Amino acid sequence: MSHIHLPDGVIPVFWWIIGYLLTAAMLGLAISRTKSTEARRKVPLLGIIAAVMLIGQSIPLGFIPFHLGLAVLAGIILGPWLGFMAAFISNMFLALIGHGGITVVGLNTVVVGSEVIIGYLLYNILRRVTVRPVLPVVLATALTLIVTIAFMVGVVAIAQVNPVLVLTGEGAGAIRDSVVVDSPVAISLRRFVAIIVPIAAIGIAIEAFVTGLIVRFILGVRPEIVGAPARER
Amino acid sequence: MDIAFIDNLAYNRDSVMHRAPALSKVIMVALVIAAVVISTEAVVFVIALALLLMTFLISNLPVLRILPFAGYALVFSLVFAVSSTGGGIAPIVVMLKAVTAAVSMLLLITTTPYPQIFALGRKIFPTILIDAMLVTYRSFFILMEQVGRVIIALRMRGGYSPLRVAGNLNIMGKVVGHGFIHAWELSENMQNAMLIRGYRGGMPVSAARKYSIKYSLLPVLLGATVLVAAVFA
């Protein structure tokens, strides 16, 4: 588990609607960027990689409460656009069994989808600067997860802000003063970060290490799956 | 595994809730989640949980085996509850909100097969997403069966032990890598089969049993009761 699936009832309505709108925009962009014939051809791959992500998220790693996310690997295999769709599908399935809220599928998809896109971009940059095939995957996974966990903390932080003040263009001081600390949904960001950071650190280490092992295995058998030439076999 | 167990309950049990159309149960979830969003009164969530649990019982479902799935929501909401700045019972309200929403989702998914929910989603989501969700649903069971066999083989040969975390991670990398390669080959076969059958987008979904409008009343009434309690509490 490299990220927290936000549950229902902790994020104000305005912000989860923004999450759904962002996800809808990204999905619309993803579908328009994928030619219709190519999209039809890749429906099985998209669905099956989403299923593999779900399986990864279903298997606990021993007695510790962590599971794999596999979003970066999905980005490497599917590319950013289809990978974003896979993130949405896996979040939707998980929300239906109470693993992450249904109201926050949009926000959860933005977080996991950004993991797919950033992971894909970093992997493609890093593989050009190193000759070792597994190292770029490990580095891309670790760096991506650091960025997306910071992003998720940002989502929780911004969810504390009164949206009316943002829409009317109020200053930072007024926005800060508007945070209602007596509300059950008001969060102490410092405490939240103090809880999240150690959990995330273990999660990042496990995810980066296991993703490297997965790619090493794939490179030995079917390197073209991760876009590697046959010489790396 | 979670989804296989839930799918079995949705398909092979019979009750008033199972015979109710998917739309009526989606409306029930929407009403319960509206209550979760607008209410901060613990009593509302206690009432909602009591009603939902009673409905589980009359729906011929194993409540004690299903409720642990709400544990995901409980664990994730715990992070927010501990970080809550609200005093008194505010942390408990945060957890009750997440658990109530999750239990309502579980009631939906244990009485409605996934494809029936996706069929409703066809009115909202693009065809490529719904088709990919149906492929995810189908391939999840194929891949899960294979992963299950590999894990049994690993356990029999002493390759998996809950206390050997490093060893488990190494083996997990190989198992998931093998799963990815199998998934890739499965997608190639599925793609060829779909092309031969003239796939042009839009997979048909047929109902597993006869749904009757007369059974719609119970889920809608349940959701409406929870929402009324939230409004007037």
Side-chain angles (χ1 to χ4, degrees):
Chain A
M1 186 186 72
S2 56
H3 53 269
I4 297 275
H5 296 272
L6 301 169
D8 285 313
V10 298
I11 303 288
V13 178
F14 176 84
W15 296 112
W16 56 255
I17 289 174
I18 291 287
Y20 267 116
L21 291 176
L22 277 173
T23 296
M26 285 298 291
L27 287 174
L29 194 62
I31 290 167
S32 70
R33 292 293 296 262
T34 315
K35 286 179 187 168
S36 61
T37 46
E38 190 195 343
R40 277 205 297 270
R41 201 166 52 82
K42 290 203 167 168
V43 162
L45 183 61
L46 168 59
I48 288 172
I49 295 297
V52 176
M53 285 172 79
L54 273 174
I55 290 168
Q57 291 165 3
S58 304
I59 303 171
L61 299 172
F63 66 92
I64 48 173
F66 287 97
H67 62 71
L68 297 174
L70 301 174
V72 174
L73 194 51
I76 292 169
I77 292 174
L78 291 173
W81 303 116
L82 287 172
F84 192 90
M85 291 188 220
F88 172 75
I89 292 167
S90 70
N91 270 315
M92 189 56 98
F93 268 84
L94 289 172
L96 287 171
I97 56 166
H99 193 139
I102 191 76
T103 57
V104 283
V105 163
L107 282 173
N108 280 330
T109 303
V110 171
V111 173
V112 181
S114 63
E115 213 170 299
V116 170
I117 295 168
I118 297 169
Y120 168 83
L121 294 172
L122 279 176
Y123 172 69
N124 280 298
I125 293 167
L126 291 170
R127 66 188 285 213
R128 286 189 206 122
V129 295
T130 174
V131 288
R132 300 181 70 155
V134 177
L135 190 62
V137 178
V138 176
L139 287 175
T141 306
L143 291 171
T144 301
L145 293 179
I146 290 168
V147 172
T148 53
I149 284 164
F151 180 49
M152 192 206 67
V153 172
V155 167
V156 174
I158 205 168
Q160 308 302 303
V161 172
N162 182 348
V164 176
L165 298 181
V166 177
L167 293 172
T168 54
E170 289 288 336
I175 290 173
R176 197 163 42 242
D177 293 343
S178 77
V179 174
V180 186
V181 291
D182 290 335
S183 163
V185 293
I187 302 291
S188 159
L189 204 59
R190 192 172 293 178
R191 215 180 301 161
F192 182 73
V193 171
I195 297 167
I196 287 296
V197 166
I199 298 172
I202 300 170
I204 290 169
I206 292 174
E207 180 96 23
F209 180 62
V210 176
T211 306
L213 290 170
I214 294 168
V215 170
R216 191 175 69 172
F217 185 86
I218 293 172
L219 283 167
V221 185
R222 294 282 301 265
E224 69 276 17
I225 292 177
V226 288
R231 63 182 168 79
E232 287 179 351
R233 190 185 279 258
Chain B
M1 205 47 68
D2 301 355
I3 294 177
F5 171 66
I6 284 169
D7 194 63
N8 186 30
L9 294 177
Y11 268 107
N12 296 327
R13 298 286 169 115
D14 190 21
S15 71
V16 177
M17 282 297 282
H18 284 85
R19 290 180 203 169
L23 181 61
S24 66
K25 287 176 272 187
V26 169
I27 291 170
M28 173 200 75
V29 169
L31 294 172
V32 171
I33 286 176
V36 165
V37 168
I38 64 171
S39 181
T40 53
E41 297 293 330
V43 67
V44 171
F45 305 117
V46 173
I47 292 169
L49 285 171
L51 289 172
L52 288 165
L53 291 179
M54 274 164 46
T55 315
F56 270 112
L57 289 173
I58 63 165
S59 300
N60 192 22
L61 292 166
V63 183
L64 294 178
R65 287 194 64 193
I66 294 170
L67 282 187
F69 293 115
Y72 288 126
L74 193 66
V75 169
F76 292 132
S77 65
L78 194 63
V79 176
F80 290 88
V82 172
S83 310
S84 170
T85 56
I89 60 164
I92 295 170
V93 169
V94 170
M95 290 194 286
L96 282 172
K97 274 174 171 267
V99 170
T100 305
V103 171
S104 70
M105 290 302 296
L106 286 169
L107 182 57
L108 166 70
I109 202 63
T110 50
T111 56
T112 319
Y114 272 93
Q116 301 305 314
I117 298 170
F118 299 150
L120 281 178
R122 225 182 255 292
K123 294 179 175 68
I124 306 166
F125 298 115
T127 306
I128 181 176
L129 277 179
I130 296 297
D131 286 357
M133 283 179 187
L134 289 168
V135 172
T136 301
Y137 170 77
R138 175 77 188 111
S139 52
F140 178 86
F141 297 102
I142 297 171
L143 294 170
M144 216 43 242
E145 193 181 333
Q146 197 213 4
V147 169
R149 269 193 244 120
V150 173
I151 288 175
I152 288 171
L154 279 173
R155 284 179 192 271
M156 287 177 73
R157 293 177 179 209
Y160 181 90
S161 163
L163 297 174
R164 277 190 331 132
V165 177
N168 287 347
L169 292 178
N170 188 14
I171 286 167
M172 184 61 67
K174 288 175 181 163
V175 170
V176 180
H178 181 257
F180 261 104
I181 290 165
H182 183 71
W184 182 272
E185 287 167 353
L186 185 65
S187 80
E188 286 174 336
N189 293 340
M190 202 179 278
Q191 184 185 317
N192 291 336
M194 284 163 71
L195 286 174
I196 289 167
R197 290 179 178 197
Y199 172 71
R200 292 279 179 274
M203 293 180 186
V205 179
S206 60
R209 61 158 60 87
K210 293 273 183 204
Y211 295 99
S212 172
I213 198 81
K214 68 180 176 184
Y215 296 113
S216 301
L217 190 62
L218 177 65
V220 175
L221 201 61
L222 170 64
T225 306
V226 173
L227 185 59
V228 167
V231 170
F232 292 104

